Amino acid sequence: MSTRTFSTSHVVALVERATRVVPVLWPLESAVAANPLWDLRSHSFTSAVAHARRALGIVGLPPAEVLADAFRAGRLTVADLEAALDDLDQPDGATEAEPVHRGAPAPPPSMLVTVLERHDQLTGGRMAAEVDREVAKYCAAYLGGLLGTSGVVGTGFLDQWRAAVVDDPAARRLGLHGVLEAVAGGPETVIATVLARLVLDEAGAVEELTGQSARLLGWAAHAKWRSRWAAPDHPGPALHLVDYLAVRLLYDLAALERLGHRAGPGACCDHLRPAPGSSPEVPPAALVGGPAGDRLARLDATAAAAVWLAAYEAHYRDDLLAVLERPSSQPSAPPSPGALRAQVVCCIDIRSEGLRRHLEASGHYETFGFAGFFGVPARVWPFDGGSALDLCPVLLHPTVELTEEAGEEAAGAARHAGLRQLAVVERAVETTREGPVASYLLAESAGVGLGPLAVLRTAAPATFARLRRWVLARLAPPADVHPVLSGPGAPSDDEQALFVETALRTMGLTDRFAPVVVLCGHGSTTENNPYGSALDCGACGAARGGTSARLAAAMSNRAEVRALLAARGIVVPDETLFVAAEHDTATDTVTVFPPAELTPTQADRLAVVERDLAAAGAELAVERAATLPGAVRRPRRGAARHLATRSADWAQVQPEWGLARCAALVVGPRQLTVGIDLERRTFLHSYDPGTDPDGAALEAILTGPMVVAQWISAAYYHSVVDPDVLGAGDKVSHNVVAGVGVYQGAGGDLRLGLPRQSVFVGDEPFHEPMRLLVVVVAPRERVDTVVARNPVVAELVDGEWVHLAARDDGRFWRRRPGGGWRQWHDARTDAHQLGRPVRLGRPYEVAPTGGHGEEERHG
Amino acid sequence: MDERWGLTPMVKVEVVVSGEDAQVVTDLFSTAGAVGFTAVANVSGVGHGGAHQGRLAFNDRNALALLMVVLPPAGVDRLLDGLRSLLAERPGVLFVSDTYVSRPEYFR
């Protein structure tokens, strides 16, 4: 083994390479659902999963029992498996050499472990676990602001930890003090020194750093967010990757030296057999039987699991494309604007599909799908105070910065005064609560009043929520707040016109404007839910979408912007009014934010639209309540009331399903999908191939919204298939840590991904783990052009992170990884299958429960 | 000091990488002792990996970025050490050239 001393600059690059397998964990205030393997996407999905299996111990493929259950239920069939096996026999020219596992089973991959872990394996020690406990303890203390030792030079984690750890008995026990004296310098220097002391070559150094990151993956994922994704001026302590790894390595070095570890070639660890990595399990081939079963039996576990996954996905794909191909769903002319009460633009989020479907059922609405930030990447300082919100996908940097103001100055001043008083009270309570004696006094004095309130909040959450709103409205009266389109960071008229034009052209709404165009964002109202922001709008950086809708609507109504749009060929009639709205996906209520000044005609039109939105929401509530665990099947009014209660319930761990069961993204005119119940499983992005000859709009969609949809799909996928490593565990025992994440229980690592209750019902997955299916209505040549000139799209498509299909020449086509298209045929030739109602995946509906008579409790 | 122009010789390092790697490259600049750099986001071009589109409407991280830094010759080895390691696994190109500056104190 050749070893070397690394420069500090080299260490930065090594850390980057070593942590590509580490997911990114956004803080809870903006819990972005991201593909945990995103930084491995230059590899195929199969290779990336294999790499992560070795580094992180994930499985990466659906559990055998899920697939076996699906097979028994007809959710995937022998024909699906045979087709997937045929694809395996005739690979579609993947871009990289993929191992095809045949014959004798391949040995399980060895897990990547750190030097200290190997030592533990040899000696039966638990030093690595002890180091984890210490590191987690200091990470939490640092982010909680508890390490702010005065007089310490530097505010980084390494500096603060060095100052604090000298008085720590645990550090003495681990023999850290000698190492602290011997290894000085900044984090890069420390890492370089320890790697040299461990006598590691470059490959060994990368593996050691990867192994260090994988030990407490959640903390590493938070540090990666801070180092790679957070704005440099993001407030709060900054736990950077290099600091985090430096501290870990110092602990490990101390432990190894104390244990008498001899570094270098032939040292104690080199001969050890690493622990086997996780291998996927697959249903027994005998379950399938026949020739397909024989073929599956000849594959090793990894290859067989990949075939099962492909078959599972293909079944959904065939069902979806079959239903889209039926004559009733063939494109027809959209309704004429004169027949419309409004055009409604919703977010592409799968939860919007239900609202759109019920709204369109009245025959008076045309709907569109567009990313819920409506094309305006804005940083907004909320009127009520607090940190600025970046209201755009995390792939974008905000380009405009705005404040909010109240419509009436007096109302705004009254609200601010009330909020200030509330803040004073809150601070006083917090201070008292933290005092050693005062906390007891607080409990004694306030308990008399708070006890009954807690009972009310538990027994009648909706009543409590109304009471709280009433009290808060009196203490800090609500004001009509709107974003200000002027000021130093505000966009110019030209920029505003460009934002509006880009949005309209991308969704294909460039003429035929209705008298009212509603821009409908979405958010979710839940109680006592650390993951609340995960239910908000992903396109708005995991925030509510109402503000983005108001911004876009305000810009679209300005005369200056309309004039610029007209000069660019988009003539919006004078009578057309853009209006913002927000769909609450927990309650299925829709709040409309009308402009301050309306003509009587506009007010009348808007009243009708508001009524219809409420009716559509009520229909959606009935549909959605049937899928929520513990919900009571009731008619329209009861369902809406149940959802409202559920939303306000502080003990409710499943307030809504979020984006669970998301399965596909359809990019095309609504005429392809209108009238079809897509079961709230598809992202819908409007796109008119006829108005996009150069593919610019398609490029924007495939490089932006498609990436966001893939992230969400992958986050849900891995939360189901790898719940222990890439899922957030049981909400019931979550403890929030410094606002950045949650522990399971009292301490340890931060949890990644989505809580168990977001993707499972009991032990059964509610979310069907599949890779995202992307269906694009566009000429294949145009799709190929977009793929070819955008590496990120090529990686996702050719690496089979997504499956891509196109609607072209009146037929569906499947894109082969690496290029080329194969016409899709409905393989379900059997009359029974063709005649059956198409269910898009395995149907799910909760068993009806009796309820408690009292609507407040959900049972 | 170059006698002909009255300028001081320095080394200019230019790197074109994916936008999502720009942060690591600027970290490398800082670690190598650079006190400033120039970044141009959303650049387009054609390389051995094919064409790369410039500005993307809804994605700043997956377009290419051009980063430039000027250093005294003594600091270049350290920077290149890191850049070579990074580019061993990540797509990107690196250019190193001699250059001259009028105010050397800005680059030290």
Side-chain angles (χ1 to χ4, degrees):
Chain A
M1 179 166 63
S2 65
T3 58
R4 55 173 297 181
T5 303
F6 302 104
S7 69
T8 51
S9 177
H10 201 156
V11 164
V12 172
L14 292 178
V15 168
E16 155 62 18
R17 289 167 56 186
T19 55
R20 294 200 73 76
V21 72
V22 174
V24 178
L25 178 62
W26 270 263
L28 291 173
E29 65 188 10
S30 54
V32 171
N35 177 355
L37 306 183
W38 178 243
D39 284 338
L40 300 180
R41 71 183 185 283
S42 58
H43 304 277
S44 70
F45 171 78
T46 309
S47 296
V49 163
H51 179 51
R53 193 174 293 143
R54 178 168 179 262
L56 309 180
I58 68 166
V59 176
L61 293 164
E65 60 270 26
V66 170
L67 296 166
D69 285 350
F71 184 79
R72 292 190 196 99
R75 168 60 182 80
L76 74 98
T77 64
V78 172
D80 298 322
L81 287 164
E82 283 173 340
L85 285 161
D86 290 345
D87 281 348
L88 188 71
D89 286 337
Q90 297 171 329
D92 284 330
T95 50
E96 62 182 278
E98 292 289 347
V100 178
H101 304 282
R102 295 181 185 289
S110 57
M111 276 294 288
L112 192 156
V113 291
T114 65
V115 173
L116 183 59
E117 282 176 288
R118 287 184 192 172
H119 198 288
D120 278 351
Q121 286 171 8
L122 177 67
T123 60
R126 294 187 48 79
M127 292 306 293
E130 192 159 344
V131 169
D132 288 345
R133 269 196 302 278
E134 292 305 304
V135 171
K137 178 177 82 182
Y138 278 102
C139 285
Y142 177 67
L143 291 177
L146 303 177
L147 291 191
T149 313
S150 61
V152 175
V153 178
T155 57
F157 178 51
L158 177 62
D159 293 326
Q160 296 286 338
W161 169 80
R162 268 184 191 280
V165 80
V166 290
D167 299 322
D168 187 343
R172 258 193 300 280
R173 194 172 62 249
L174 286 164
L176 196 61
H177 288 80
V179 167
L180 283 177
E181 285 169 17
V183 183
E188 295 88 357
T189 306
V190 167
I191 293 171
T193 306
V194 177
L195 293 176
R197 295 275 279 269
L198 295 176
V199 197
L200 294 169
D201 64 2
E202 180 154 353
V206 170
E207 293 218 338
E208 176 67 20
L209 293 169
T210 302
Q212 291 290 344
S213 304
R215 284 291 309 180
L216 291 173
L217 191 63
W219 284 112
H222 168 79
K224 186 169 177 179
W225 165 77
R226 190 70 203 214
S227 298
R228 302 279 178 261
W229 286 85
D233 59 351
H234 190 90
L239 178 63
H240 284 294
L241 274 171
V242 285
D243 288 276
Y244 173 75
L245 290 168
V247 169
R248 282 203 66 95
L249 285 168
L250 283 172
Y251 271 113
D252 273 23
L253 182 64
L256 287 164
E257 294 195 343
R258 190 175 173 82
L259 294 166
H261 167 70
R262 289 181 300 107
C268 71
C269 307
D270 292 343
H271 63 283
L272 289 179
R273 178 192 295 277
S278 311
S279 287
E281 292 180 358
V282 287
L287 180 68
V288 179
D294 292 343
R295 292 168 73 186
L296 282 167
R298 288 195 291 272
L299 300 175
D300 72 30
T302 303
V307 168
W308 276 92
L309 173 62
Y312 188 60
E313 294 166 333
H315 191 92
Y316 174 83
R317 178 201 64 212
D318 289 347
D319 277 355
L320 179 64
L321 298 188
V323 78
L324 296 181
E325 191 147 74
R326 286 182 179 180
S328 59
S329 62
Q330 292 308 297
S332 58
S336 71
L340 294 173
R341 288 179 182 158
Q343 288 160 324
V344 179
V345 183
C346 292
C347 182
I348 65 170
D349 190 288
I350 62 170
R351 292 167 289 181
S352 300
E353 184 265 328
L355 186 71
R356 294 174 64 181
R357 175 163 32 87
H358 288 294
L359 195 58
E360 289 163 339
S362 71
H364 301 298
Y365 290 87
E366 181 181 16
T367 72
F368 295 82
F370 188 77
F373 74 117
F374 300 105
V376 185
R379 171 170 293 179
V380 175
W381 292 90
F383 180 80
D384 287 351
S387 302
L389 297 172
D390 287 352
L391 298 176
C392 56
V394 294
L395 298 169
L396 274 177
H397 300 296
T399 57
V400 299
E401 188 162 348
L402 303 167
T403 55
E404 291 184 319
E405 69 177 9
E408 291 178 20
E409 202 173 323
R415 179 159 181 82
H416 271 161
L419 289 171
R420 274 196 300 275
Q421 286 169 359
L422 282 173
V424 169
V425 173
E426 196 176 337
R427 269 199 302 277
V429 170
E430 282 300 311
T431 308
T432 311
R433 211 169 65 172
E434 287 167 8
V437 178
S439 57
Y440 291 102
L441 294 175
L442 178 69
E444 290 295 329
S445 57
V448 176
L450 294 179
L453 279 179
V455 172
L456 176 66
R457 192 177 187 184
T458 305
T463 304
F464 178 83
R466 281 195 296 275
L467 176 66
R468 188 175 58 182
R469 276 197 299 272
W470 183 84
V471 171
L472 288 176
R474 262 127 205 92
L475 294 173
D480 179 25
V481 171
H482 58 85
V484 184
L485 283 176
S486 58
S492 66
D493 290 347
D494 273 321
E495 287 169 321
Q496 291 181 37
L498 183 61
F499 290 143
V500 177
E501 181 190 3
T502 302
L504 294 176
R505 287 199 190 283
T506 305
M507 71 175 111
L509 178 57
T510 53
D511 56 11
R512 306 174 42 260
F513 289 95
V516 176
V517 178
V518 179
L519 304 181
C520 187
H522 64 96
S524 179
T525 302
T526 58
E527 281 291 322
N528 189 27
N529 182 7
Y531 282 86
S533 68
L535 300 173
D536 287 334
C537 179
C540 299
R544 297 188 77 106
T547 302
S548 293
R550 297 180 81 159
L551 262 176
M555 290 179 186
S556 306
N557 284 331
R558 294 187 63 232
E560 297 85 347
V561 171
R562 296 268 178 108
L564 289 164
L565 287 175
R568 295 170 189 178
I570 299 178
V571 179
V572 181
D574 289 344
E575 72 155 349
T576 294
L577 177 73
F578 282 76
V579 180
E582 186 180 83
H583 171 205
D584 191 320
T585 54
T587 60
D588 285 323
T589 52
V590 180
T591 305
V592 174
F593 307 107
E597 292 176 8
L598 291 173
T599 65
T601 305
Q602 287 172 330
D604 290 346
R605 284 173 177 160
L606 206 49
V608 173
V609 171
E610 201 164 357
R611 185 198 65 203
D612 291 346
L613 283 165
E619 295 291 345
L620 178 56
V622 175
E623 176 183 310
R624 212 164 53 76
T627 70
L628 289 167
V632 183
R633 244 186 242 170
R634 286 172 190 270
R636 195 167 147 160
R637 188 172 162 74
R641 201 161 50 220
H642 173 78
L643 294 188
T645 301
R646 201 178 183 98
S647 156
D649 187 351
W650 69 338
Q652 178 54 260
V653 289
Q654 289 176 308
E656 62 152 299
W657 275 120
L659 291 109
R661 289 172 71 79
C662 65
L665 163 67
V666 178
V667 179
R670 176 61 170 156
Q671 284 71 41
L672 182 69
T673 51
V674 74
I676 301 172
D677 180 359
L678 295 168
E679 300 175 2
R680 305 177 312 286
R681 303 195 65 181
T682 49
F683 300 91
L684 295 176
H685 200 303
S686 293
Y687 171 67
D688 181 358
T691 60
D692 183 39
D694 63 355
L698 184 61
E699 182 163 63
I701 294 167
L702 295 187
T703 54
M706 184 185 84
V707 172
V708 172
Q710 197 278 331
W711 277 23
I712 293 167
S713 160
Y716 277 81
Y717 173 95
H718 285 287
S719 295
V720 171
V721 305
D722 296 300
D724 294 335
V725 181
L726 300 175
D730 191 341
K731 271 182 166 181
V732 175
S733 54
H734 276 174
N735 275 307
V736 176
V737 189
V740 300
V742 297
Y743 285 149
Q744 195 81 66
D749 198 8
L750 298 179
R751 297 303 304 254
L752 293 157
L754 293 148
R756 188 169 182 81
Q757 285 88 350
S758 297
V759 287
F760 284 88
V761 178
D763 290 332
E764 188 183 349
F766 177 75
H767 177 75
E768 292 190 333
M770 296 188 287
R771 287 167 287 183
L772 184 73
L773 169 64
V774 181
V775 181
V776 178
V777 181
R780 284 162 287 159
E781 189 180 13
R782 186 183 304 167
V783 178
D784 281 335
T785 303
V786 171
V787 172
R789 68 188 182 197
N790 289 285
V792 66
V793 181
E795 287 165 344
L796 292 178
V797 172
D798 291 332
E800 296 188 90
W801 293 86
V802 300
H803 300 296
L804 181 58
R807 178 81 178 167
D808 187 19
D809 296 333
R811 285 166 288 183
F812 281 111
W813 302 80
R814 289 171 53 200
R815 191 175 190 282
R816 301 152 61 124
W821 297 85
R822 179 189 301 172
Q823 189 179 342
W824 173 82
H825 295 284
D826 190 352
R828 303 163 314 146
T829 48
D830 137 339
H832 168 69
Q833 283 190 320
L834 284 174
R836 73 183 163 86
V838 174
R839 295 303 305 247
L840 302 173
R842 189 177 178 185
Y844 183 84
E845 198 164 274
V846 291
T849 62
H852 294 262
E854 165 55 53
E855 193 55 54
E856 291 285 5
R857 292 305 311 156
H858 55 78
Chain B
M1 179 78 72
D2 182 273
E3 291 182 358
R4 191 170 34 144
W5 295 324
L7 299 173
T8 303
M10 292 272 173
V11 176
K12 180 169 69 175
V13 178
E14 295 162 286
V15 189
V16 181
V17 289
S18 172
E20 63 190 336
D21 292 332
Q23 176 70 52
V24 183
V25 173
T26 57
D27 285 352
L28 286 169
F29 290 172
S30 301
T31 310
V35 292
F37 62 87
T38 300
V40 183
N42 302 317
V43 297
S44 60
V46 179
H48 82 281
H52 293 264
Q53 185 67 319
R55 186 176 190 284
L56 302 173
F58 304 136
N59 187 337
D60 290 335
R61 292 185 70 95
N62 296 117
L64 296 179
L66 166 65
L67 299 121
M68 288 179 282
V69 68
V70 171
L71 288 167
V76 175
D77 278 347
R78 195 158 35 136
L79 174 59
L80 294 184
D81 198 21
L83 283 173
R84 278 197 207 93
S85 177
L86 178 71
L87 296 177
E89 292 195 350
R90 298 293 300 152
V93 290
L94 164 69
F95 310 104
V96 182
S97 53
D98 292 330
T99 191
Y100 299 87
V101 300
S102 59
R103 291 181 288 197
E105 66 275 16
Y106 283 16
F107 300 89
R108 291 183 169 137

